[in-house]
Amino acid sequence: MRVVFDEEQRRTMLARIEDVLASGALTQGKQVARFEAGVAPILGKRALAVSGGTAALEIALSIVGVRGGTVLVPANTFFATAATAERLGATVDFVDLELDGLGMDPDSLRERLQAHRDVRAVIVVHLAGVISPAITGVLDECRQRGIAVIEDAAHAFGAEIGGVTAGSFGRLAAFSLYPTKVLTSVEGGILTARDDTDFNLADTLRDHGRTEQANRHAWLGANWRMSELHAAVGSVLVERFAASQEQRTEQANFYDERITGLSRLTRYRPPAGVRSNHYKYVCLLKPEVDRNALRRRLADKYGVGLAGEVYDIPLHEQPYFRGRESPGRYLRQAEWFCRHHICLPIYPGLTRFDQERVVEALWGELA
């Protein structure tokens, strides 16, 4: 996908970047403050701008304290979700997917909680911009055991379930602002916290654990700051976020109407009460369809490229983690989903003509 900025957005970004350069204050200045103030009403809580989604996860796990323990993560997520925990001295184990809301399966979680007596945190992921109703069961299991839940909401900025926004369920939540996401600052992330104490500590940690007193460091933090230049880009896009979401919704509705009836592909339908942010438009292929061959035919015959999957390789099959699973234990739903889904192009700037080409190609190959 291409990240498209219209002329008005570019002019406003350049004006704010010029303001930053003229001021000489390149970090932790008024553009970061402007960006954080713009994000807060959408998330319904204070927001902390950081250097990336991975940085937000690292801060959250540092606050919880996971070194020497186990962190449970979904098998279906980006490598960084698990790798961050391991870098902080934890060991990760994997929980299966539930196919209704693409969330963490509470039964699989319960089994892993019983298998490990040292679980320090559970990371839930709102895959493809969908908050799973199963999160209620996950929260109950963790609450009973006093285990912290962290939301990896990298895909889910602006997503809701029952009117409750992503970032409202865990002790802390991490959002990504990578260029492919529904909101970007080129590079960056957002951290939110339920508790003011956690939020204030996160604010300190993102600047090397620095206290208000000059050159005094009370915590082992790092440089997890967002630059003023990145914030200048992000602040413009957050002001246009509602319009961007409206465009994504229109694109999703177009696909909903045009691909209904395909015999070898069905669209994924989020559960009732879920308002997706349409980060991804997920479709499920019939088992007999070879996804890689389909991708090649769509590209070669129609000039159509699909979006990246979420994800095509589950974490326990990644080279770094391979062999961690107990003998005889399978994550069947995670593996099935990884093999049998595709994502159609959806992003601001995608034209109706482009969508029609995608639909025509799908009907040519999967009717």
Side-chain angles (χ1 to χ4, degrees):
M1 62 162 283
R2 293 175 60 243
V3 181
V4 178
F5 304 123
D6 63 34
E7 185 177 352
E8 182 184 359
Q9 288 173 330
R10 294 197 301 272
R11 284 200 305 267
T12 308
M13 288 173 188
L14 289 172
R16 292 183 185 175
I17 289 170
E18 171 64 23
D19 185 55
V20 170
L21 297 177
S23 74
L26 302 183
T27 187
Q28 299 293 92
K30 72 177 187 180
Q31 296 298 336
V32 168
R34 184 205 298 263
F35 176 72
E36 291 173 339
V39 164
I42 299 172
L43 297 179
K45 58 186 67 63
R46 287 196 296 169
L48 198 69
V50 294
S51 57
T54 303
L57 274 175
E58 196 158 358
I59 293 170
L61 289 166
S62 297
I63 290 172
V64 169
V66 298
R67 183 174 298 278
T70 298
V71 174
L72 299 180
V73 302
N76 303 79
T77 186
F78 184 54
F79 182 74
T81 309
T84 302
E86 296 243 335
R87 280 199 306 274
L88 290 174
T91 300
V92 300
D93 198 0
F94 308 107
V95 180
D96 205 359
L97 178 80
E98 54 84 21
L99 292 169
D100 182 38
L102 307 182
M104 184 175 275
D105 185 327
D107 291 334
S108 178
L109 173 64
R110 188 178 306 111
E111 185 266 329
R112 287 294 86 191
L113 288 170
Q114 292 170 350
H116 297 281
R117 300 300 180 185
D118 63 345
V119 176
R120 304 288 172 78
V122 171
I123 303 178
V124 296
V125 176
H126 306 313
L127 201 66
V130 174
I131 303 174
S132 170
I135 194 169
T136 301
V138 171
L139 293 171
D140 287 345
E141 291 290 337
C142 293
R143 190 178 299 113
Q144 291 171 19
R145 296 168 172 82
I147 295 171
V149 173
I150 295 172
E151 289 176 72
D152 181 340
H155 296 183
F157 184 85
E160 298 180 1
I161 182 170
V164 181
T165 58
S168 301
F169 301 94
R171 176 174 168 182
L172 300 115
F175 297 82
S176 171
L177 301 172
Y178 187 71
T180 59
K181 301 301 189 288
V182 297
L183 176 67
T184 183
S185 59
V186 183
E187 290 279 6
I190 300 165
L191 183 138
T192 63
R194 182 189 301 146
D195 182 81
D196 285 345
T197 300
D198 284 347
F199 185 90
N200 293 335
L201 177 55
D203 192 9
T204 299
L205 290 174
R206 71 170 168 176
D207 190 21
H208 291 287
R210 194 190 310 268
T211 68
E212 293 182 0
Q213 189 176 1
N215 296 318
R216 297 294 186 271
H217 302 264
W219 301 90
L220 189 62
N223 176 10
W224 289 313
R225 301 181 300 265
M226 177 183 283
S227 79
E228 284 285 278
L229 299 177
H230 289 95
V233 173
S235 67
V236 175
L237 296 181
V238 78
E239 290 166 3
R240 313 293 202 278
F241 182 68
S244 172
Q245 281 294 279
E246 184 177 347
Q247 188 174 9
R248 282 180 177 270
T249 300
E250 290 174 356
Q251 293 170 358
N253 291 341
F254 178 84
Y255 284 139
D256 288 349
E257 295 170 1
R258 297 300 183 91
I259 68 173
T260 299
L262 285 169
S263 62
R264 296 194 292 162
L265 175 145
T266 57
R267 68 181 177 93
Y268 166 74
R269 299 171 184 262
V274 173
R275 187 171 74 85
S276 172
N277 64 5
H278 302 298
Y279 169 58
K280 294 284 188 176
Y281 190 94
V282 177
C283 296
L284 303 174
L285 297 169
K286 294 294 185 182
E288 68 270 15
V289 178
D290 183 321
R291 181 173 59 193
N292 290 334
L294 173 65
R295 275 184 163 277
R296 289 193 296 270
R297 291 197 304 274
L298 292 176
D300 294 344
K301 292 176 62 175
Y302 306 94
V304 168
L306 297 177
E309 290 88 14
V310 283
Y311 291 87
D312 59 340
I313 303 174
L315 281 182
H316 61 282
E317 293 181 359
Q318 288 285 350
Y320 178 82
F321 291 116
R322 191 175 296 134
R324 298 276 191 100
E325 280 304 290
S326 303
R329 181 172 183 254
Y330 303 99
L331 300 170
R332 299 184 191 279
Q333 295 173 135
E335 293 167 7
W336 184 92
F337 180 74
C338 283
R339 289 194 302 269
H340 294 295
H341 82 276
I342 60 173
C343 296
L344 307 188
I346 185 168
Y347 54 88
L350 180 69
T351 67
R352 184 54 51 85
F353 175 75
D354 289 335
Q355 284 196 279
E356 288 172 345
R357 289 176 58 237
V358 172
V359 170
E360 179 184 358
L362 293 174
W363 277 97
E365 296 298 322
L366 298 172

